[in-house]
Each structure stands twice: as C-alpha cells, then as structure tokens.
Amino acid sequence: MTDDVAERLREGLARQAGIQATIGGLRPLYGGACQDNLRVELTLAGDDQPQTLVLRADAPSSLPGSLDRKQEFAVIEAAVAAGVRTPAARWLLRDIVREG
C-alpha cells in the first residue's frame, strides 16, 4: 500500500499544489484516530533537508459528526490565523490514500 500511496502523494503534490517533492518514507500511524494517518518524510524541490509531516485522509466510513478533510483544513487555517499554536495544514489534496 505505501509505495502506491507515496507515488500518488508525489503526483498529487505536483498536479494539485504545483510542488515537486521526493518521498523518502511513508508509514501508518496508529493510536485511536478514526481517519487514516500516515507519517511522511519528504524533501521539497530546492530543499536540502527532509521534512516529517502527517498525511491525514478520510477513512472509508466516518463517525457521525466527524469533519471531512476539507472542513478540517478550514478549521486548522482559522485556528492558525487566530493565533492558536498548532501545526499549519499545508495542502488540501484529493484522492491520495484511496482512489475515488
């Protein structure tokens, strides 16, 4: 699964965000979340150092009242803009973990 997801992530970053990146590592994160979470190590074009980020994706089915990724992205952007100390959401990409 991870090789396929890594390739879709690389292509999605290029196509949807205009960003060239090399994916150095990808592994599932577990721990109670109902969405899919993956640890991603990537190096953006022009950077020397890799970054470690979390890729969040909607699960095949969600809990009632759960935010989808688009809604979550907007909430995180609003929180960061209001000064809440939380990691910024970087990119809102579609169809990376699951095709559809």
Side-chain angles (χ1 to χ4, degrees), residues 3 9 21 30 36 57 76-77 81 86 94:
D3 288 342
L9 175 58
Y30 304 102
D36 291 332
I76 293 170
E77 283 187 319
T86 188
R94 299 270 185 227

Side-chain angles (χ1 to χ4, degrees), residues 2-3 9 13 15 22 32-34 47 49 53 59 62 70-71 75 79-80 82 84 88 95:
T2 56
D3 288 342
L9 175 58
L13 283 167
R15 185 180 62 255
T22 301
C34 61
D47 287 352
Q49 297 296 317
L53 304 172
S62 63
K70 185 176 180 180
Q71 293 167 323
V75 168
V80 169
V84 175
D95 304 324

Side-chain angles (χ1 to χ4, degrees), residues 1 3 9 11 18 44-45 81 83:
M1 171 189 143
D3 288 342
L9 175 58
E11 289 175 355
L44 300 175

Side-chain angles (χ1 to χ4, degrees), residues 20-62:
Q20 301 299 315
T22 301
I23 311 301
L26 187 71
R27 69 178 170 89
L29 295 172
Y30 304 102
C34 61
Q35 277 77 25
D36 291 332
N37 296 291
L38 301 164
R39 177 186 169 154
V40 179
E41 292 181 19
L42 60 81
T43 304
L44 300 175
D47 287 352
D48 294 331
Q49 297 296 317
Q51 300 179 42
T52 301
L53 304 172
V54 174
L55 171 64
R56 291 185 46 81
D58 290 322
S61 61
S62 63

Side-chain angles (χ1 to χ4, degrees), residues 4 16 19 24 33 45 52 62-63 73 75 77 85:
D4 187 43
Q16 298 176 46
I19 295 168
T52 301
S62 63
L63 299 173
F73 190 88
V75 168
E77 283 187 319
R85 294 182 58 176

